[in-house]
Amino acid sequence: KVVKFEATKFFNTKIRTQIKNFGPVTVILTFTLLNLLPWFKKFHVPTLIVPDTFQLAGGRSFLVGLKDIPTNYRMLCAFPAILLTALFFMDQNISVRLVNSPDNKLKKGPAYNVDLVALGVITGVLSIFGLPWMCGATVQSMNHVRAMSETRLNPETNEIEIERVTETRLTGFIIHAMLASTVMLLPLIKTIPIPVVSGVFLFLGRKLMTGNSFLQRVTDAFAERRRLPDNNPLNLLGRKKTLIYTGVQVLCLLGLFGFKQISSITIFFPAMIGVLMSIRAFALPKIFSDDDFVALGDPTPV
C-alpha cells in the first residue's frame, strides 16, 4: 500500500514520492525495532539465522580443490553443467527482455551478447572460489527499473504509466556495494524478523504481477464480457478459445510447481523450461494463429 500511496490525493507530490521510494525500508526498520521491545518478546517471532563471523560454509578455504576431485566425477559433472548453462541463458534473457520492454521506454539499446559474455566470466570466477552463482534476479531487476522511473497517473485508464527512466549504472553499483557491506552488519541482520523478510519477497513478487496478461485473463474468465474493454481477448477471440489457451498455461504452471517439489530431479528444471518452449513453438501454433497470440498478449517473437 505504501507504493500505491503515490497515486493518492494526500500531501504533495514530493512527499508521496518519498513515501513510495522508502516505504518498504521504513516498514522493515519499524517492525525490526518493534520486535526488539521487551514486551514483544513474548510472541517469539523468529529472526534471521546468520553466523557471527564472515566465513565460508564448513570453514573451507576460498579456492575449490579441483585437483582433489577424481577425473570420472569431473566428467559426470559435464551433463548437469550443460543444464545449468541453459538455465543461466534463459534466466538472463528473460530478465533483460523484461527490462528492455517497450513499456519501460528505455533509450539505450540492448546488449544481449555482451551481457552473456559478462555473465560467463563472472560465473567462471565464482565457480573457482565455490561462491554462489550470479543470476538475472528478474524481480529485483524489474523493481530497480521501476524505482528509477518517473510515472504519472493516466486519467483515462486510472493506471500508473512510465514517462521516462533514469538510465545509469551508478545505482546498480551502489546497490551491490551496499549488499557486500552487509557482511560488516551481521549482528544487526540477526535482529530482522523472518516474517518481515518473507513479506518483502511477497511484496516484490506481487508488485510484478501488475499488468501480467496471464493473471489478467484468469480473473477475466469470471467477468461479464460486455463490461470488458473491446481489445480484451474474451471479446476478440471468444471465451472458449481464451479459456483453452489460459487452461494450457495453468497446466504448465502446475506441472512446473509439482516438478520443483521433487528435490531429487530439480537439477533437470532447465529441461522442463525447454518442454514449455516446445509446447509454445510447435503445439500451440496448430490451434492459435499469430493474430490470436497477439490478442492473448503473447505475440510470437520475430
Side-chain angles (χ1 to χ4, degrees), residues 159 211-243 246 291-298:
E159 294 181 355
N212 185 285
S213 59
F214 166 66
L215 295 175
Q216 187 63 48
R217 278 186 273 106
V218 171
T219 56
D220 288 347
F222 304 95
E224 187 178 4
R225 286 179 58 177
R226 64 180 182 179
R227 292 183 175 273
L228 298 173
D230 295 335
N231 61 348
N232 189 280
L234 287 175
N235 290 326
L236 296 175
L237 305 179
R239 187 176 296 273
K240 181 179 179 180
K241 208 167 190 177
T242 303
L243 290 180
T246 306
D291 291 337
D292 293 341
F293 285 127
V294 172
L296 290 164
D298 185 22

Side-chain angles (χ1 to χ4, degrees), residues 81-141:
I82 294 174
L83 296 177
L84 285 170
T85 301
L87 180 61
F88 288 157
F89 175 82
M90 288 182 286
D91 179 71
Q92 176 69 16
N93 274 277
I94 290 172
S95 299
V96 296
R97 288 186 181 277
L98 286 173
V99 168
N100 291 319
S101 170
D103 294 337
N104 295 329
K105 301 178 181 179
L106 299 180
K107 295 181 179 180
K108 295 180 180 178
Y112 300 118
N113 294 334
V114 177
D115 288 342
L116 285 175
V117 171
L119 178 63
V121 173
I122 294 172
T123 302
V125 174
L126 293 176
S127 299
I128 294 174
F129 290 97
L131 297 175
W133 288 312
M134 179 182 173
C135 64
T138 306
V139 175
Q140 293 91 325
S141 298

Side-chain angles (χ1 to χ4, degrees), residues 4-302:
K4 291 183 178 180
F5 190 81
E6 188 181 22
T8 65
K9 61 183 179 180
F10 301 104
F11 305 112
N12 56 36
T13 303
K14 185 176 181 180
I15 295 177
R16 291 199 302 269
T17 301
Q18 294 301 317
I19 292 176
K20 184 207 75 168
N21 291 338
F22 299 99
V25 176
T26 303
V27 170
I28 293 175
L29 292 176
T30 300
F31 281 93
T32 299
L33 294 174
L34 184 64
N35 192 49
L36 293 175
L37 296 177
W39 65 269
F40 207 84
K41 296 292 184 181
K42 62 182 179 181
F43 297 106
H44 303 289
V45 179
T47 57
L48 292 177
I49 301 175
V50 295
D52 295 323
T53 58
F54 177 69
Q55 63 180 11
L56 297 179
R60 66 171 180 82
S61 61
F62 273 93
L63 286 176
V64 176
L66 296 177
K67 293 183 179 180
D68 299 333
I69 303 174
T71 305
N72 55 340
Y73 285 2
R74 300 183 203 175
M75 300 299 293
L76 288 174
C77 290
F79 178 65
I82 294 174
L83 296 177
L84 285 170
T85 301
L87 180 61
F88 288 157
F89 175 82
M90 288 182 286
D91 179 71
Q92 176 69 16
N93 274 277
I94 290 172
S95 299
V96 296
R97 288 186 181 277
L98 286 173
V99 168
N100 291 319
S101 170
D103 294 337
N104 295 329
K105 301 178 181 179
L106 299 180
K107 295 181 179 180
K108 295 180 180 178
Y112 300 118
N113 294 334
V114 177
D115 288 342
L116 285 175
V117 171
L119 178 63
V121 173
I122 294 172
T123 302
V125 174
L126 293 176
S127 299
I128 294 174
F129 290 97
L131 297 175
W133 288 312
M134 179 182 173
C135 64
T138 306
V139 175
Q140 293 91 325
S141 298
M142 283 301 301
N143 278 286
H144 179 232
V145 172
R146 295 188 180 185
M148 301 299 294
S149 303
E150 294 182 12
T151 59
R152 67 178 180 87
L153 179 65
N154 189 327
E156 296 181 359
T157 61
N158 198 31
E159 294 181 355
I160 299 294
E161 294 183 354
I162 294 177
E163 283 191 321
R164 62 182 295 272
V165 177
T166 302
E167 302 178 46
T168 174
R169 294 182 177 89
L170 183 61
T171 52
F173 176 80
I174 293 176
I175 289 171
H176 288 86
M178 294 178 68
L179 288 175
S181 67
T182 57
V183 297
M184 310 298 295
L185 304 173
L186 294 180
L188 295 179
I189 294 176
K190 294 173 65 173
T191 62
I192 300 177
I194 291 179
V196 174
V197 178
S198 301
V200 170
F201 284 108
L202 180 62
F203 157 74
L204 293 174
R206 175 62 185 87
K207 187 178 179 182
L208 284 183
M209 289 182 182
T210 304
N212 185 285
S213 59
F214 166 66
L215 295 175
Q216 187 63 48
R217 278 186 273 106
V218 171
T219 56
D220 288 347
F222 304 95
E224 187 178 4
R225 286 179 58 177
R226 64 180 182 179
R227 292 183 175 273
L228 298 173
D230 295 335
N231 61 348
N232 189 280
L234 287 175
N235 290 326
L236 296 175
L237 305 179
R239 187 176 296 273
K240 181 179 179 180
K241 208 167 190 177
T242 303
L243 290 180
I244 290 175
Y245 186 79
T246 306
V248 171
Q249 288 185 308
V250 171
L251 291 176
C252 291
L253 180 61
L254 292 175
L256 285 178
F257 181 79
F259 188 87
K260 289 199 68 175
Q261 303 311 304
I262 307 175
S263 58
S264 59
I265 61 174
T266 50
I267 187 65
F268 300 103
F269 185 77
M272 291 300 298
I273 301 296
V275 172
L276 296 184
M277 295 170 62
S278 300
I279 293 174
R280 173 59 179 84
F282 303 109
L284 292 178
K286 295 181 179 180
I287 305 174
F288 303 93
S289 65
D290 289 340
D291 291 337
D292 293 341
F293 285 127
V294 172
L296 290 164
D298 185 22
T300 302
V302 180

